[in-house]
Amino acid sequence: MTFELRARDIRKSFGGVEVLHGVDLDAVGGSVLALLGENGAGKSTLVKIIAGDYQADSGAIEVDGASYPVLTPRQARDLGVAIIFQEFQDASTLTVAENISLGRLPATRGLVSWKAMKDRARRILDQLQVDIDPDDIVGTLRVGERQIVEIARSLSGSARLLILDEPTAALSHHEAETLFQFIRRLRDQGVAIIYITHRLDEVTAVADRVQVLRDGSTSLLTDVAATDRRAMIEAMIGRRMAEVGRPAPATWAIGERPALAWRAASAGRAFADVSLEVRPGEVVGLFGKLGSGAAEVGETAFGIHPLSAGTLEVNGQPMTLKDPYSAIAAGTGFLPADRKAGGAFLVRPIAENVAVASWPRLSTMGFISERVEGKAFQRWRERLSIRSRNDPRQTMGTLSGGNQQKVLLARWLERDSRALVLIEPTRGVDVGAREDIYRSLRELAAGGAAVLVVTSDYEEAVQVADRVYVMSKGRVATELHGDAITTAQLLAAAGG
């Protein structure tokens, strides 16, 4: 029997504000539905209702002809609904094998079979064609590897409907292609899949149908073959938008002396003999798949990894950055790949998040006032198009991912950091916010900042950078300039 889930006239309010306005959704076995929409459009709320995490105010969900006014998480799981959230739901202190079997430990007479657990983990990881040791502690893995473990845990169950929320946000191109192949196999086996993404190229790569939500209502529902990128973007943002492409060439002066430069630099087993430089006035991309060493190169500029050979120059001077404090003192700003774990103070006000790196300058006799922090935030709110309430005390965690990134960028601009290193700056960020961030980075370069964007997203490298260094297997494979920066060139150089 083909699996069928039909959500009808789903409505949901929070604090008296309705966020879903009678949305319908169909998930059918043997097909992939791409669910699109900007942050705040209602995607996550809708799928959480389907998974039983939220209860709808009205409407109903039908599964195989049976109607459910509401679903509990256990009911949803028993019906075969599995969801993988963008934010990690793992147990970081346990092994990969233990995480994959969480909630379903193989046991005989109350005793866990560790061998069966490892065998199950290896079987699933082999299906995904990834080389992760079942005995590794999950907390020691890189972001992309932890995401793979999340996927493996969901796929190890008997899911009939698999909901994937931005599953490739931290995956390399090769890992994403492997995931797409696995999704196609699951689809061919009759599994229904809802695929949430901000990457529009993934829609044509993996989906049969596409549904776009805007402001809690469906703005587009069609077969993928019957639409195009422009129509999907316009349905998401509610206005016409030009196709993405190369940025306009810089019309401003580029500095002669690099603000950041790596000279024959190595860091243990992460990368070797890397030479690259970033001058004031330019946006430089450092493109590489997960494990290429690109992220580690960027992290050395913030004192996170020490160099084992070669030099790192800041404004022409060789420097040994022992920790982030020394990097900040040298004038470098940094956005990590995982903003929530390594950059944002989610429970603190947005003004405080902006001002924190500048407290020594903004304080009076060792004290910092909310008024001073609020002024710091207002200096950058309009310039970076930070969408928030007109309240500097609004907590950081209430902002969308794109606006959190803008706040973190404002942190370093308030600090007057003239060299900026951004690791995966638009991971999990919607189309409109990406456009804002890219425009801001170009404007900062025009104002004399040196910007290094480290990314595994080939579209990002094409859209934002004046020059791109491509890394593969811990080394710089090539350097591309101007119109030579294309998807084909990037993937070919990276081994794709």
Side-chain angles (χ1 to χ4, degrees), residues 329-341:
T332 301
F334 180 78
L335 269 65
D338 188 346
R339 62 179 171 270
K340 294 190 176 182

Side-chain angles (χ1 to χ4, degrees), residues 44-97:
S44 294
T45 300
L46 180 58
V47 297
K48 285 180 179 179
I49 289 172
I50 292 171
D53 293 330
Y54 290 163
Q55 293 188 353
D57 297 331
S58 64
I61 297 173
E62 295 181 5
V63 180
D64 295 336
S67 182
Y68 302 85
V70 296
L71 285 175
T72 67
R74 176 157 191 155
Q75 282 178 313
R77 186 170 62 249
D78 290 344
L79 290 168
V81 178
I83 184 168
I84 302 173
F85 294 106
Q86 182 182 341
E87 304 301 332
F88 294 135
Q89 307 291 313
D90 58 22
S92 61
T93 59
L94 301 183
T95 66
V96 169

Side-chain angles (χ1 to χ4, degrees), residues 293-321:
E296 288 84 354
V297 171
E299 289 168 349
T300 60
F302 205 59
I304 296 174
H305 300 297
L307 293 181
S308 55
T311 58
L312 169 64
E313 297 178 4
V314 181
N315 294 320
Q317 301 298 317
M319 300 197 71
T320 300
L321 301 178

Side-chain angles (χ1 to χ4, degrees), residues 258-300:
L260 290 172
W262 286 259
R263 310 292 187 193
S266 301
R269 300 171 63 181
F271 61 86
D273 197 29
V274 167
S275 293
L276 63 91
E277 55 188 33
V278 189
R279 291 183 168 84
E282 64 178 351
V283 179
V284 173
L286 182 57
F287 172 75
K289 302 173 183 179
L290 186 71
S292 67
E296 288 84 354
V297 171
E299 289 168 349
T300 60

Side-chain angles (χ1 to χ4, degrees), residues 349-394:
I350 47 181
E352 186 175 310
N353 272 270
V354 170
V356 62
S358 303
W359 275 348
R361 176 176 57 82
L362 298 174
S363 63
T364 301
M365 299 181 67
F367 293 92
I368 184 79
S369 71
E370 292 183 0
R371 181 181 60 84
V372 169
E373 289 182 332
K375 286 185 175 181
F377 169 66
Q378 295 296 348
R379 274 193 283 275
W380 302 105
R381 183 183 180 214
E382 184 174 347
R383 180 175 176 183
L384 296 179
S385 300
I386 299 172
R387 294 180 176 87
S388 66
R389 299 195 300 268
N390 190 23
D391 178 9
R393 305 305 298 170
Q394 181 180 354

Side-chain angles (χ1 to χ4, degrees), residues 179-316:
L179 175 62
F180 296 159
Q181 293 171 13
F182 198 79
I183 288 173
R184 295 183 193 111
R185 289 199 296 271
L186 289 174
R187 177 196 61 193
D188 294 343
Q189 294 167 10
V191 176
I193 297 167
I194 298 174
Y195 190 95
I196 301 174
T197 183
H198 286 119
R199 297 181 175 180
L200 300 186
D201 58 319
E202 295 182 352
V203 175
T204 55
V206 76
D208 305 296
R209 295 178 298 125
V210 58
Q211 181 168 349
V212 178
L213 298 185
R214 184 175 73 246
D215 297 330
S217 298
T218 298
S219 57
L220 178 68
L221 176 59
T222 186
D223 291 338
V224 171
T227 190
D228 58 19
R229 181 190 185 98
R230 183 187 298 272
M232 289 186 284
I233 291 175
E234 291 175 359
M236 280 191 282
I237 66 177
R239 59 182 171 84
R240 299 187 67 82
M241 183 176 179
E243 291 286 351
V244 297
R246 292 285 301 136
T251 57
W252 51 87
I254 306 298
E256 294 185 2
R257 186 176 70 177
L260 290 172
W262 286 259
R263 310 292 187 193
S266 301
R269 300 171 63 181
F271 61 86
D273 197 29
V274 167
S275 293
L276 63 91
E277 55 188 33
V278 189
R279 291 183 168 84
E282 64 178 351
V283 179
V284 173
L286 182 57
F287 172 75
K289 302 173 183 179
L290 186 71
S292 67
E296 288 84 354
V297 171
E299 289 168 349
T300 60
F302 205 59
I304 296 174
H305 300 297
L307 293 181
S308 55
T311 58
L312 169 64
E313 297 178 4
V314 181
N315 294 320

